[in-house]
Amino acid sequence: MGRILVCAGTGCVASHSRQVTARLKAALHAHHLEERFQVDNTGCHGFCEQGPLVIIEPEGILYCRVREEDVEAIVTEHLEQGRPVERLLYQDPVTKEKIAAYNQIKFYRQQSRHVLKNCGHINPENIDAYLAVEGYQGLKKALALPREEVINIIKESGLRGRGGAGFPTGLKWEYTFKAPGDRKYVVCNADEGDPGAFMDRSVLEGDPHAVLEGMLIAAYAIGAREGYIYVRAEYPLAVQRLRIALAQARERGFCGEHILGTDFSCELYIREGAGAFVCGEETALLASIQGERGMPRPRPPFPARQGLWGQPTNINNVETYANVPLILRRGAGWYASLGTEKSKGTKIFALTGKVKNTGLVEVPMGITLREIIFNIGGGILEDRGFKAVQIGGPSGGCLPAEHLDLPVDYDSLTAAGAMMGSGGLVVMDDSTCMVEVARFFLNFTQAESCGKCTPCREGIQQMLAILTRITRGQGREGDLEQLERLARVIKGTALCGLGQTAPNPVLSTLRYFRAEYEAHIRDHRCPAKSCRELLTYHIDPDKCNGCTRCRRRCPAGAISGEAREPHTIDLELCARCGTCLDLCRQKAIYVE
């Protein structure tokens, strides 16, 4: 029987993929094809910019941006006559070639999808679909081994935490296992709060059983009988599928008392967070689970020794746990063969920004930024110039073109002034102002600061005030040195990771784009022509034909002139909104 896979991740659902599914089922019934084809909802395929996505198996034909009205053509032309609907096929943005098979599309062909292998190919709400692809085999193997041996397998694999810091996972498990205490916990950090990041959400929506299996293996290894998945309430689809998966796992004996007939028992629970970014910090997360205000506490003691309710607690993020069943099934040696010497395995990135192919990508550690952005991502939108890539979320850094061939691994990124983070990767073109980028991310971290420690509460606010002045043309000599002094103090004295890493976007942009800051301060000019207060709009009289479009639509009444005569802009009245620039068909309006 053929399968019709319809993406039901959040992005495609928002683009009405559920209606496409319903129309497909109705069309199969109307054409008497129900015995030949089965419609199945899946998690995120990753190619979000092209959704809603539909894949026809076993051929692997991918249809992009499918609407309800396209369904009849898919059924009559493809399913009945065996002729793919060409207008719905993916078109390569460079070659303009139509490509039918999804595994021949550059976006997919150059990835190494291991953690994401099931996402987009199985129904996440059907445990039998997960079992059919070796689901829970890793747990079965772990339960047949001594706890110490399971920990050693994870250590030998070289798996490092995918939540940002990159701490060796096996060591963290070992510390928790050896910590004194009869009651221990496993916790999954699914509080994904970075702007533009949706890696964990997609894994939870597309393959929730993989995360549960990884948590259960960790619980067995460290001797825990309880675990919590802390997921933000803004992920309703992920929460819904987690609840379904948990109920199915309990029913089949993979979770609860005497798992798979052994002496090992473990129960997992879901806790929904209210969306505070600081709760992604592990001690704040634990406080929130306990019903307290989510605020960090000093460390040591670390959670591995004194965590949830004062007991030893192992915390990993979604992607880390999703790697664990693969390692148990395929072996530590297989996993260690992927990636680089110090950064093993693969990494999932949310590729967003000014790039042609946005979406979710999984690549081997050590791949270069150039390969991700230009090969998988298809290059810069409108073929503009590449300027920078922001990697690691608000705690990361902005890297310029000179670092495009930098290998993506923990140590190389840190040396360059960025960090792996949880996996946000935002591409910027030559129209992006790097001072404004730094201000944007600092504005985010300032708003999300819990306010507990003075360096973060006061220091970030002072840095933000300086950056805001600079983007408004009010920068002063000495501002850059003051920014650097504040950054050093905050990094060295803030209580938690949010404060300690908040200056990173500022420091990295100062390191690589200092001339852009200086232009704002000394010349009162934004080289990217982005900062509104520093722009001056002019009309070229040789190009203006006096059509009056700009004059009639100017909200400030700053444009004057007679019909069919060149117009002028009163710079005192101009609000610098850009309306005239967008309206002018003669391209007579320019910005300085």
Side-chain angles (χ1 to χ4, degrees):
M1 176 182 282
R3 298 177 69 212
I4 306 172
L5 307 177
V6 184
C7 178
T10 291
C12 285
V13 166
S15 299
H16 310 297
S17 68
R18 284 175 174 158
Q19 289 87 329
V20 172
T21 298
R23 183 68 69 89
L24 274 166
K25 290 180 177 178
L28 290 181
H29 177 74
H31 289 265
H32 308 291
L33 294 174
E34 293 165 303
E35 299 298 320
R36 291 176 51 196
F37 296 95
Q38 174 188 339
V39 180
D40 229 345
N41 282 332
T42 71
C44 179
H45 288 265
F47 213 179
C48 309
E49 187 264 339
Q50 294 289 328
L53 300 174
V54 173
I55 291 181
I56 311 296
E57 295 286 7
E59 304 103 307
I61 304 298
L62 174 70
Y63 289 127
C64 303
R65 297 173 181 167
V66 179
R67 300 289 181 262
E68 287 184 75
E69 52 268 28
D70 298 321
V71 167
E72 190 66 21
I74 293 173
V75 172
T76 56
E77 294 180 33
H78 187 153
L79 303 186
E80 290 189 329
Q81 300 179 42
R83 187 175 66 242
V85 185
E86 187 170 336
R87 64 182 173 81
L88 297 176
L89 298 177
Y90 171 74
Q91 184 176 41
D92 187 283
V94 178
T95 66
K96 307 304 179 185
E97 174 192 6
K98 290 280 189 177
I99 304 174
Y102 75 88
N103 58 11
Q104 294 303 310
I105 296 172
K106 269 189 175 182
F107 179 82
Y108 290 110
R109 194 174 70 225
Q110 301 193 18
Q111 294 186 45
S112 296
R113 294 170 73 88
H114 296 291
V115 174
L116 296 179
K117 182 179 180 181
N118 294 333
C119 293
H121 294 281
I122 68 170
N123 186 336
E125 298 182 11
N126 184 352
I127 191 172
D128 290 319
Y130 183 65
L131 294 175
V133 290
E134 299 185 282
Y136 289 107
Q137 292 300 313
L139 176 61
K140 289 180 181 178
K141 181 175 179 180
L143 294 179
L145 299 172
R147 299 179 192 275
E148 295 92 331
E149 190 169 339
V150 175
I151 294 173
N152 285 334
I153 289 172
I154 300 301
K155 288 171 66 176
E156 291 167 9
S157 73
L159 175 64
R160 295 172 65 170
R162 296 304 196 247
F167 191 81
T169 303
L171 277 180
K172 184 182 281 191
W173 289 19
E174 186 174 59
Y175 293 155
T176 315
F177 171 70
K178 291 182 177 180
D182 296 330
R183 193 173 186 182
K184 298 179 181 181
Y185 297 94
V186 289
V187 171
C188 177
N189 183 348
D191 190 60
E192 185 175 53
D194 291 2
F198 54 99
M199 301 76 60
D200 291 351
R201 188 199 75 203
S202 294
V203 173
L204 290 173
E205 291 177 358
D207 201 10
H209 283 285
V211 181
L212 299 183
E213 184 178 3
M215 289 185 69
L216 290 164
I217 292 170
Y220 171 74
I222 69 170
R225 291 177 56 88
E226 286 184 71
Y228 291 86
I229 305 166
Y230 187 85
V231 57
R232 51 183 44 232
E234 294 97 329
Y235 286 177
L237 191 56
V239 172
Q240 174 191 336
R241 289 181 178 163
L242 270 174
R243 294 194 189 283
I244 292 170
L246 258 179
Q248 292 173 342
R250 291 188 188 112
E251 183 182 350
R252 297 294 183 92
F254 297 113
C255 183
E257 295 295 319
H258 301 292
I259 293 174
L260 298 177
T262 68
D263 292 333
F264 171 58
S265 299
C266 182
E267 187 56 82
L268 301 179
Y269 305 96
I270 297 171
R271 288 289 183 270
E272 296 182 46
F277 181 70
V278 73
C279 285
E281 194 277 337
E282 58 184 19
T283 60
L285 182 152
L286 295 177
S288 184
I289 290 177
Q290 294 173 179
E292 303 164 8
R293 182 180 175 186
M295 298 180 77
R297 64 163 173 78
R299 297 175 299 174
F302 291 94
R305 190 168 186 88
Q306 189 174 323
L308 202 57
W309 290 292
Q311 304 300 315
T313 303
N314 178 77
I315 307 174
N316 292 122
N317 85 323
V318 169
E319 187 181 346
T320 309
Y321 281 124
N323 272 286
V324 170
L326 295 172
I327 295 169
L328 266 292
R329 289 203 310 265
R330 305 190 65 175
W334 165 78
Y335 193 82
S337 70
L338 305 172
T340 66
E341 182 181 353
K342 294 183 179 180
S343 300
K344 306 295 186 183
T346 60
K347 181 72 187 78
I348 302 174
F349 289 99
L351 183 60
T352 59
K354 301 296 183 67
V355 65
K356 292 176 180 176
N357 295 332
T358 60
L360 206 66
V361 304
E362 183 178 357
V363 293
M365 291 283 196
I367 191 173
T368 65
L369 289 168
R370 186 185 303 276
E371 289 175 287
I372 296 175
I373 296 167
F374 288 92
N375 292 350
I376 297 174
I380 310 303
L381 276 175
E382 301 177 359
D383 296 319
R384 297 186 66 111
F386 169 85
K387 187 167 189 177
V389 58
Q390 210 276 351
I391 186 167
S395 304
C398 299
L399 302 180
E402 65 195 72
H403 283 301
L404 274 173
D405 295 310
L406 185 78
V408 176
D409 61 57
Y410 291 101
D411 301 320
S412 298
L413 290 175
T414 301
M419 64 183 292
M420 186 75 70
S422 58
L425 203 156
V426 183
V427 179
M428 305 169 198
D429 65 16
D430 53 14
S431 68
T432 306
C433 173
M434 302 312 295
V435 184
E436 171 57 25
V437 167
R439 191 206 65 80
F440 170 84
F441 281 108
L442 211 65
N443 182 64
F444 176 85
T445 49
Q446 189 270 335
E448 293 293 340
S449 171
C450 74
K452 185 174 183 178
C453 73
T454 303
C456 181
R457 183 183 66 246
E458 302 295 335
I460 294 178
Q461 187 171 341
Q462 291 301 314
M463 290 182 72
L464 179 60
I466 294 171
L467 285 170
T468 302
R469 279 198 293 99
I470 293 173
T471 59
R472 291 177 177 173
Q474 301 165 3
R476 302 190 287 258
E477 290 295 331
D479 276 348
L480 303 189
E481 292 74 18
Q482 178 70 352
L483 282 172
E484 289 170 329
R485 282 194 295 272
L486 285 166
R488 286 194 296 270
V489 171
I490 296 168
K491 286 180 72 71
T493 59
L495 177 60
C496 77
L498 183 149
Q500 293 162 9
T501 59
N504 284 352
V506 181
L507 290 173
S508 63
T509 50
L510 278 171
R511 177 176 175 181
Y512 296 115
F513 301 96
R514 196 177 192 91
E516 201 160 322
Y517 279 86
E518 292 169 346
H520 281 71
I521 295 172
R522 296 172 185 172
D523 304 331
H524 302 288
R525 179 177 62 88
C526 175
K529 298 179 180 179
S530 173
C531 295
R532 183 169 166 176
E533 285 82 355
L534 299 181
L535 302 182
T536 306
Y537 287 81
H538 302 276
I539 297 178
D540 185 338
D542 294 330
K543 293 182 178 180
C544 178
N545 65 358
C547 71
T548 75
R549 282 171 58 84
C550 61
R551 188 193 72 190
R552 286 183 282 114
R553 298 285 294 276
C554 177
I559 301 177
S560 59
E562 300 296 327
R564 299 184 180 86
E565 296 291 333
H567 286 30
T568 58
I569 298 176
D570 186 332
L571 299 181
E572 293 295 322
L573 295 176
C574 178
R576 304 176 180 88
C577 64
T579 301
C580 57
L581 188 68
D582 296 334
L583 288 171
C584 186
R585 295 172 178 172
Q586 307 302 316
K587 299 189 183 302
I589 298 176
Y590 62 97
V591 184
E592 289 184 338

